[in-house]
Amino acid sequence: MRTGIVVFPGTWSDRDCAHALLEVLGQPARYVDYRETRLDDLDLVILPGGFSYGDYLRCGAIARFTPVVQAVTAFANRGGLVLGICNGFQILQEARLLPGALLKNASCEFRCEWVNLRVEQNDTAFTLDCRPGQVLRIPISHGEGNFFADRATLDSLEREGRIVFRYCTPDGRITAGANPNGSLANVAGISNARGNVLGMMPHPERACEPLLGGEDGLMMFRSAIRALSHPLPNPPHEGEGVTAGVA
Amino acid sequence: MYRAEVFVRLKPVVNDPAGLTIRAGLHALGFESVTEVRAGKYLVLTLNEPDEATARRQVEEMARQLLANEVIEDFRIEMHPVQDPIAVGGGA
Amino acid sequence: MYRAEVFVRLKPVVNDPAGLTIRAGLHALGFESVTEVRAGKYLVLTLNEPDEATARRQVEEMARQLLANEVIEDFRIEMHPVQDPIAVGGGA
Amino acid sequence: MAVAVRREQLQAIALNEDEYGAIVRTLGREPNDLELGMFGALWSEHCSYKTSKSLLRQLPTEGPNVLQGPGENAGAVDIGDGLAVVFKIESHNHPSAIEPYQGAATGVGGILRDVFAMGARPVAILDALRFGPLDSGRNRHLFNGVVAGIGGYGNCFGCPTVGGEVYFDPAYSDNPIVNAMCVGLVSSERLRRAKADRAGDIVLLVGADTGRDGIHGATFASVEMDDQSASRRPAVQVGNPFLEKLLCEACLRLNELDGVTAIQDLGAAGLTGAASELAHRGRRGIDLAVDQVSRREEGMTPYEVMLSESQERMLVVVRPNAEAAAREVFDRFELHADRVGAITGSGRMRVRERGTVVADLPLKTLVDGVPFRSPLAVSPDKQPSPALPAIEEPEDVLLDLLARPNLRSRRPIYRTYDHQVGDNTVIGPGYDAALLRLPGTKKGLALTTDGNPWYVALDPYEGTRAAVAEAARNIVCTGARPLAVTNCLNFGNPERPLVYGQLQESVRGLADACRAFGLPVVSGNVSLYNETSERNIPPTPVIGMVGLLDDLSQRCPAGFQADGDLVFLLGETRDELAGSEYLRLLGTKPEGRPPMVSLEMEARLQAALLDSIGQGVLRCAHDVSDGGLLVALAESALFGGRGLRCPSIIGPVGREAFYFGESQGRAIVSVAPRSVPDLQKLMARHHIPIHAMGVVGGDQFQIGPDIRIPLDALREAWETPF
Ligand SMILES: Nc1ncnc2c1ncn2[C@@H]1O[C@H](COP(=O)(O)OP(=O)(O)O)[C@@H](O)[C@H]1O
Ligand SMILES: [Mg+2]
């Protein structure tokens, strides 16, 4: 799996993602500068966490207009795998590759801690190796991860089975107490209709080594590797991103 | 019932990283005519208070104590009489 | 030269953690009369553009493209002709 | 111009008339206003250390592994594998008292720049904080703002905040202590010094435009705060962590280039401080063209530009033939760089505005010429220990102690800090020392800050020794060997004999302890005049310490690990209660002798701990500090989520002192039953008293007949929110 890790001004989990892929998984990976426009050497593009452009105005609002995001949009529409982590998730939403928005945490505080995620869909490129209902332990680190979408959007996400992760208790119950940021329906991660684009607030790249507290994050990267050997089915219908893009 | 609009902005001499970054973003989008951007806060309050003068005095107090940080920010207030709250479905 | 004030606020259906926190803070300070607070953004732009209509059209474009996110926010714009920038002569 | 005419000017820049006299003598003329302002900044306490330098000479600063001692932007120590660890701690007390969020944020920004100016990538931040009690709205505002500001800057920049400490005491009301420590890594041969030693080099100013920020911030940090300070706005600045991140990445790239002579951050005293120190370290001179500096505002005078303390700016000195390569790096990060001057052989700092010289000063005088001050000192007298009230219900006392702001869990604070970014955090905040992986090795770096303010208040000498001892003990409890020390000395107004006496005693204690442990002091910071309307803060030295663990697989946790393990107390408990949280809980007057540190005993305990951890004998180790023995036992139970059963434990001293006294040189450990003989042998060999406590397991915390508390109740008390 050839991975490109996008570096925007202000990105910081680029190095953590590179560490997970190169050192832990032994997979080839390269950094992709935000001014780049060619991604055809890549199987997977990661938009990592951080504070692109300082998260000034709105998280991801300015990064969304960089050349690389146009390229990522085209790459996604060609069926390439795209993983947006934390700030990357926010950027995918600003770019309309994924629906909804991420508001300030309900606590209005930044939160860095381990959380439990229930795998709601294991037919995305990033969850193939998970059992449905499986609970993953992965850290969050954000101040604005409070998922919001209007009723209609949320309903269609539920209907189309595009809610991939929900915050849950260690034994997999979806409760208010397990929700670290006030997200609607405890949503922690969603995918596009085709399942090749995933956005999530938690940081799988921080959960790839027992030494650092856990390795559940590896499942997602291993799933992607497997997905590439069994290409995903074509979109059932026009999913987001196919027409949406950069103004 | 009154609606108070409170406009909070950084004092002119204070560095405004957000404004600078937004201006750079606008330039990147081709809006060259923008010479300056200042980023501030826009707070809309609903007060259950019959008398406008009292309401305004209260909001000024709130701004001084909490809404604005007078060490680095200025604020401006506008009052309007209103009937109903803003948020639908108990948003706020 | 024109000064554009852009007021960005969350749509009524969107809940507003910041607003709720501020309201709680105001109640804690004894301002019981506040029934609701909505937190938004107040952006002040200086445009080097002679014609008001053009300037306004540009700012509307900026707001639609960058300054506001229509998924969750509405915006309002006010234009004023001006002589000087805000940060005295500075690039802001 | 007569001195009298300048009295006001001198007051504004906090120089006295003797100092002015010295300036006139060495210059052989009156300085002009700009020159006087420059002297004011560089001769301020903050920049010149004129009051503390003579004392600091006592500190041991050398060691076989020391690559860089005090005097640079940060200290550096060789940690093998071709790596150097670079670290320093700094205060931002005054700005934080005025605007807590920005004050703390820019404090973090400043210490980060010190570290990446050395060519090192910042890998950790620690924050040592002191506030007044949170039942006052003002103190809560300061507390919330400071914590949010530290997180706001560190989180956005992308450096993990892995440790620190927070204490509350009425004596810190209105004058909070905000110290930030930063730790970085660099390959030893890339370690960089901010020394411009080649005439003809070009000086570039990179980063933020210059505004009218913090003019005389340096002097501001050196004069006591009056009630007007709150309106002295220039001292408050808005930091830009996003720009700092770009600056950092650019500087790290520059550090790989040939032809880059020096990198220096602009901090206190702004361009004047940075430029003069750069050139003087290299025993050269510097010419600056003040009109070449990009400004944020129009109409700024040379005075304002030279003394502005706008954040996120660096000076980069390059050979002429390297300027293009340097500019490529800046462009890559969309950073703006002005060519503002050149290094000369003149030994002077010459400032020109459009060709005309507006300041011309000998660097030696400007940087090194300040006459030292040695104020009167009276050493604080030692009071007898207070009479002890009879102990209350031990169970209630323990629960009350665990819920005390000074002892309860710090999680509500550190979970607002990203403590993981970088993928190296093995042990994060919440235990004793934090432990980071050294990338590409199996080694670990242990980090802590410590400084119990009450011990120092009772006896600055003993208290400061205790701070060093506790820091080392925290490091050792993880299995790491203490390597080196940084320190931040937060004191009141040194012109008051009692305060200067405290400083004298504290530095003596710091020197003695570091010598005894063989720990070099490689960096530090002094913050004086922490006085608000006549009230001085208690003497507050903060010790930052770095340790090295050769093999992370040998690391030792602080929490109980397995049911059935046996728990022991190591070290000697004396009849010491003065300065304890227990007495503060009971509301007794703060008096008496604080716990005494036997450095020799402490060293033996630490050797014993390292031995037993190295031999894999220990399942956990946790140092006994604030709150005493029962609090330490309860913490290990809560860390590990396991109960503890102790038969009645009777000590060599009264029950109060044994349960709640804070005697130094102690730790609790747990071992598997089969390892008990090994532990006993090891402790015998090191002559360390060992005292059986009990057995790990169950869901109760039980101490003989006195205490029987469900773990949940214990946790509920400990996790009382702030
Ligand atoms: N302000 C802070 N920021 C980050 N971590 C903190 C802070 N205050 C305390 N901690 C962490 O909480 C834990 C307990 O703090 P403390 O009681 O001071 O430890 P100790 O008594 O072992 O020195 C330590 O791991 C410390 O690093
Ligand atoms: Mg400890």
Side-chain angles (χ1 to χ4, degrees):
Chain A
M1 177 173 69
R2 295 155 305 170
T3 303
I5 301 163
V6 179
V7 185
F8 298 97
T11 297
W12 44 237
S13 43
D14 48 334
R15 307 176 81 245
D16 298 358
C17 291
H19 169 75
L21 282 153
L22 295 165
E23 267 122 274
V24 183
L25 282 149
Q27 294 286 320
R30 72 169 177 95
Y31 292 118
V32 177
D33 183 89
Y34 62 103
R35 286 156 289 207
E36 284 185 47
T37 53
R38 306 207 45 226
L39 305 172
D40 28 10
D41 61 317
L42 302 172
D43 304 309
L44 164 65
V45 172
I46 298 179
L47 305 185
F51 284 60
S52 59
Y53 294 91
D55 278 356
Y56 294 128
L57 188 62
R58 281 188 319 280
C59 306
I62 299 177
R64 167 257 167 108
F65 290 102
T66 55
V68 77
V69 173
Q70 299 195 28
V72 169
T73 307
F75 179 83
N77 294 342
R78 289 199 303 273
L81 302 190
V82 177
L83 174 59
I85 300 168
C86 199
N87 197 228
F89 184 12
Q90 295 159 335
I91 292 167
L92 289 174
Q93 286 180 319
E94 285 283 336
R96 306 288 183 266
L97 278 165
L98 290 174
L102 292 154
L103 309 170
K104 262 195 177 45
N105 293 352
S107 62
C108 282
E109 274 185 0
F110 193 93
R111 279 277 180 286
C112 177
E113 58 198 358
W114 288 83
V115 298
N116 298 290
L117 303 178
R118 191 171 80 190
V119 178
E120 304 292 87
Q121 299 295 331
N122 67 337
D123 57 3
T124 77
F126 301 95
T127 51
L128 286 179
D129 281 0
C130 307
R131 285 173 281 101
Q134 182 172 357
V135 174
L136 306 181
R137 257 185 94 250
I138 296 181
I140 55 167
S141 184
H142 61 252
E144 307 195 15
N146 181 349
F147 180 83
F148 171 85
D150 58 43
R151 264 269 136 256
T153 311
L154 190 63
D155 292 345
S156 69
L157 284 173
E158 298 270 12
R159 225 181 14 258
E160 298 164 21
R162 290 165 49 192
I163 295 174
V164 182
F165 297 117
R166 289 186 216 263
Y167 301 107
C168 67
T169 60
D171 58 356
R173 282 171 302 113
I174 307 301
T175 67
N179 184 339
N181 54 25
S183 292
L184 276 185
N186 282 44
V187 171
I190 59 175
S191 74
N192 65 347
R194 190 171 175 178
N196 63 314
V197 177
L198 178 97
M200 64 191 295
M201 286 315 293
H203 287 267
E205 78 281 7
R206 295 186 181 189
C208 295
E209 294 167 281
L211 184 65
L212 302 184
E215 48 186 353
D216 288 356
L218 289 176
M219 285 229 172
M220 299 189 53
F221 298 108
R222 296 224 171 94
S223 297
I225 292 170
R226 199 150 69 81
L228 288 162
S229 43
H230 315 70
L232 294 157
N234 280 335
H237 52 77
E238 297 261 295
E240 274 82 10
V242 178
T243 50
V246 181
Chain B
M1 189 151 75
Y2 279 90
R3 170 112 348 115
E5 291 185 296
V6 184
F7 311 93
V8 181
R9 46 193 263 181
L10 285 167
K11 298 191 151 113
V13 296
V14 173
N15 184 24
D16 180 1
L20 291 169
T21 312
I22 295 167
R23 183 184 60 173
L26 289 170
H27 286 172
L29 282 174
F31 296 106
E32 302 298 345
S33 59
V34 181
T35 57
E36 178 180 39
V37 177
R38 302 288 288 178
K41 290 185 238 116
Y42 172 45
L43 300 163
V44 184
L45 284 62
T46 312
L47 284 86
N48 199 340
E49 163 60 56
D51 171 52
E52 168 153 4
T54 323
R56 175 179 286 277
R57 237 179 295 103
Q58 288 176 349
V59 176
E60 274 163 8
E61 246 335 283
M62 299 179 203
R64 225 166 273 113
Q65 288 186 38
L66 183 74
L67 305 179
N69 173 355
E70 287 193 278
V71 182
I72 52 175
E73 296 171 326
D74 301 324
F75 63 88
R76 196 179 88 235
I77 294 171
E78 283 176 23
M79 305 294 295
H80 323 271
V82 284
Q83 301 322 326
D84 12 271
I86 297 167
V88 299
Chain C
M1 189 150 74
Y2 280 89
R3 167 110 352 113
E5 292 184 295
V6 184
F7 310 93
V8 180
R9 41 195 270 182
L10 287 168
K11 291 182 169 158
V13 295
V14 180
N15 60 30
D16 176 3
L20 291 169
T21 310
I22 294 170
R23 186 183 58 176
L26 289 172
H27 286 172
L29 286 172
F31 297 104
E32 262 72 18
S33 60
V34 181
T35 57
E36 181 181 36
V37 177
R38 303 286 289 175
K41 300 192 195 85
Y42 173 44
L43 300 161
V44 184
L45 284 62
T46 311
L47 283 87
N48 197 341
E49 163 61 52
D51 171 53
E52 168 153 3
T54 323
R56 174 179 286 278
R57 238 179 296 102
Q58 288 176 351
V59 177
E60 272 161 4
E61 229 357 83
M62 297 178 205
R64 224 171 282 111
Q65 281 188 43
L66 178 66
L67 304 180
N69 173 358
E70 79 229 13
V71 176
I72 46 170
E73 296 169 325
D74 303 322
F75 63 87
R76 195 179 88 238
I77 294 171
E78 281 177 25
M79 305 293 295
H80 322 270
V82 286
Q83 302 320 324
D84 319 312
I86 294 167
V88 200
Chain D
M1 198 184 324
V3 172
V5 188
R6 288 218 153 167
R7 200 161 273 132
E8 264 177 27
Q9 243 175 319
L10 289 175
Q11 248 157 20
I13 60 174
L15 288 188
N16 64 30
E17 289 175 9
D18 301 350
E19 288 162 340
Y20 183 73
I23 293 171
V24 175
R25 260 196 316 287
T26 41
L27 292 190
R29 62 175 169 88
E30 304 265 344
N32 64 34
D33 289 354
L34 170 58
E35 291 171 331
L36 184 55
M38 291 161 70
F39 271 108
L42 274 147
W43 284 22
S44 68
E45 187 62 51
H46 186 84
C47 291
S48 72
Y49 288 74
K50 56 192 169 192
T51 308
S52 55
K53 215 174 212 154
S54 53
L55 298 177
L56 296 176
R57 291 215 175 96
Q58 308 165 62
L59 300 177
T61 60
E62 320 247 294
N65 307 329
V66 175
L67 298 174
Q68 178 61 59
E72 264 287 343
N73 287 308
V77 176
D78 187 329
I79 48 174
D81 298 301
L83 283 175
V85 58
V86 174
F87 60 100
K88 183 175 195 290
I89 189 169
E90 203 156 74
S91 72
H92 233 217
N93 305 340
H94 295 81
S96 304
I98 308 253
E99 212 302 286
Y101 183 100
Q102 293 299 340
T106 52
V108 170
I111 197 66
L112 283 164
R113 282 193 296 283
D114 279 328
V115 165
F116 66 75
M118 304 284 291
R121 175 175 293 279
V123 296
I125 296 166
L126 294 88
D127 59 331
L129 313 176
R130 311 281 186 269
F131 302 95
L134 293 183
D135 45 28
S136 124
R138 168 81 183 148
N139 291 334
R140 185 163 282 281
H141 165 74
L142 292 170
F143 170 73
N144 292 338
V146 165
V147 168
I150 285 164
Y153 206 100
N155 296 348
C156 178
F157 177 88
C159 182
T161 301
V162 300
E165 47 177 358
V166 190
Y167 286 123
F168 301 90
D169 188 277
Y172 295 107
S173 292
D174 306 334
N175 199 143
I177 298 299
V178 177
N179 293 176
M181 171 173 169
C182 180
V183 181
L185 292 172
V186 58
S187 76
S188 315
E189 78 274 6
R190 285 282 173 197
L191 180 65
R192 178 167 292 282
R193 288 163 183 87
K195 195 167 143 202
D197 51 8
R198 294 190 289 199
D201 281 4
I202 287 167
V203 180
L204 302 168
L205 176 59
V206 190
D209 290 352
T210 298
R212 294 185 173 92
D213 297 304
I215 288 163
H216 284 310
T219 38
F220 177 80
S222 307
V223 293
E224 67 196 68
M225 288 190 287
D226 48 44
D227 299 337
Q228 282 86 48
S229 302
S231 60
R232 211 184 296 177
R233 272 158 208 153
V236 175
Q237 304 182 49
V238 174
N240 185 352
F242 165 61
L243 179 54
E244 178 112 331
K245 163 75 170 168
L246 299 178
L247 265 181
C248 175
E249 296 300 333
C251 288
L252 296 183
R253 281 254 181 3
L254 283 177
N255 199 37
E256 305 290 317
L257 297 182
D258 301 327
V260 175
T261 309
I263 303 176
Q264 166 73 47
D265 65 295
L266 278 72
L271 185 53
T272 303
S276 56
E277 278 160 26
L278 256 180
H280 186 59
R281 282 203 201 97
R283 294 292 176 265
R284 291 291 178 276
I286 187 167
D287 283 3
L288 291 175
V290 71
D291 44 281
Q292 292 306 302
V293 176
S294 301
R295 295 123 194 251
R296 204 172 69 221
E297 302 161 39
E298 250 170 29
M300 288 178 67
T301 64
Y303 188 102
E304 290 171 319
V305 174
M306 288 305 295
L307 293 167
S308 159
E309 293 186 355
S310 290
Q311 299 288 304
E312 290 93 22
R313 299 181 301 163
M314 307 286 286
L315 278 182
V316 176
V317 181
V318 297
R319 307 251 68 186
N321 61 16
E323 181 177 5
R327 286 192 176 277
E328 263 173 47
V329 173
F330 300 139
D331 294 343
R332 164 163 191 182
F333 293 97
E334 296 183 36
L335 288 167
H336 176 78
D338 295 320
R339 187 206 268 226
V340 296
I343 302 302
T344 69
S346 67
R348 305 180 69 84
M349 171 132 129
R350 267 199 219 88
V351 182
R352 289 190 178 77
E353 188 190 31
R354 290 190 214 75
T356 5
V357 174
V358 289
D360 183 354
L361 297 172
L363 282 172
K364 197 170 179 338
T365 316
L366 187 60
V367 179
D368 264 348
V370 66
F372 286 176
R373 294 182 179 180
S374 41
L376 282 178
V378 306
S379 45
D381 53 358
K382 316 204 174 0
Q383 320 98 322
S385 289
L388 267 198
I391 192 167
E392 330 224 316
E393 225 0 270
E395 213 164 84
D396 304 342
V397 174
L398 179 58
L399 286 171
D400 291 349
L401 277 176
L402 286 170
R404 299 270 293 174
N406 286 325
L407 294 182
R408 68 178 64 144
S409 166
R410 271 57 186 128
R411 184 160 164 273
I413 297 167
Y414 61 70
R415 75 175 175 181
T416 68
Y417 302 156
D418 187 332
H419 47 268
Q420 299 175 320
V421 59
D423 260 1
N424 291 314
T425 305
V426 177
I427 298 179
Y431 305 98
D432 287 329
L435 197 58
L436 294 192
R437 159 176 62 193
L438 284 170
T441 75
K442 54 189 190 33
K443 293 185 184 168
L445 205 58
L447 308 171
T448 186
T449 67
D450 285 287
N452 177 308
W454 300 282
Y455 305 166
V456 186
L458 291 177
D459 182 335
Y461 176 75
E462 283 297 334
T464 306
R465 282 160 32 113
V468 178
E470 187 189 347
R473 216 179 311 128
N474 278 320
I475 300 262
V476 163
C477 282
T478 66
R481 243 176 322 106
L483 265 191
V485 166
T486 184
N487 72 99
C488 193
L489 302 171
N490 307 273
F491 284 73
N493 177 354
E495 289 151 35
R496 302 180 188 277
L498 197 59
V499 170
Y500 191 68
Q502 293 168 333
L503 181 62
Q504 246 179 3
E505 283 295 278
S506 179
V507 174
R508 191 167 67 85
L510 176 60
D512 285 0
C514 290
R515 248 194 211 84
F517 293 134
L519 294 173
V521 178
V522 297
S523 59
N525 174 247
V526 179
S527 167
L528 301 179
Y529 297 94
N530 290 282
E531 179 182 53
T532 312
S533 27
E534 302 284 298
R535 273 197 298 107
N536 284 280
I537 58 157
T540 310
V542 171
I543 306 303
M545 198 178 288
V546 172
L548 191 62
L549 175 57
D550 292 324
D551 181 354
L552 274 172
S553 66
Q554 293 195 332
R555 69 188 180 277
C556 188
F560 296 144
Q561 295 299 300
D563 292 358
D565 283 0
L566 299 171
V567 179
F568 295 86
L569 167 66
L570 310 181
E572 184 189 327
T573 306
R574 301 202 210 79
D575 194 352
E576 300 171 308
L577 272 165
S580 66
E581 191 67 22
Y582 172 65
L583 288 197
R584 280 188 297 282
L585 171 69
L586 299 190
T588 35
K589 263 177 66 237
E591 54 189 14
R593 312 185 67 220
M596 298 288 128
V597 181
S598 153
L599 295 173
E600 177 269 340
M601 174 74 120
E602 183 74 48
R604 269 195 283 118
L605 172 82
Q606 295 181 17
L609 282 165
L610 286 178
D611 259 3
S612 17
I613 293 171
Q615 296 180 24
V617 172
L618 301 189
R619 282 269 179 77
C620 97
H622 181 33
D623 83 301
V624 179
S625 60
D626 316 340
L629 176 60
L630 292 201
V631 166
L633 288 168
E635 284 174 345
S636 285
L638 292 165
F639 294 158
R642 298 170 188 280
L644 176 67
R645 252 174 300 106
C646 300
S648 66
I649 49 175
I650 309 204
V653 299
R655 194 169 66 163
E656 292 83 352
F658 192 54
Y659 281 1
F660 305 116
E662 299 177 6
S663 285
Q664 298 294 295
R666 297 183 303 164
I668 53 169
V669 299
S670 67
V671 298
R674 62 179 147 66
S675 312
V676 172
D678 301 347
L679 180 70
Q680 285 163 330
K681 275 200 223 73
L682 276 157
M683 293 307 134
R685 184 170 341 129
H686 290 277
H687 309 291
I688 295 299
I690 172 169
H691 197 122
M693 295 282 107
V695 187
V696 174
D699 55 6
Q700 301 272 325
F701 184 82
Q702 191 180 342
I703 307 285
D706 290 344
I707 292 176
R708 195 164 205 291
I709 306 173
L711 215 49
D712 297 349
L714 212 59
R715 186 173 300 281
E716 197 186 331
W718 186 58
E719 289 184 349
T720 307
F722 284 93

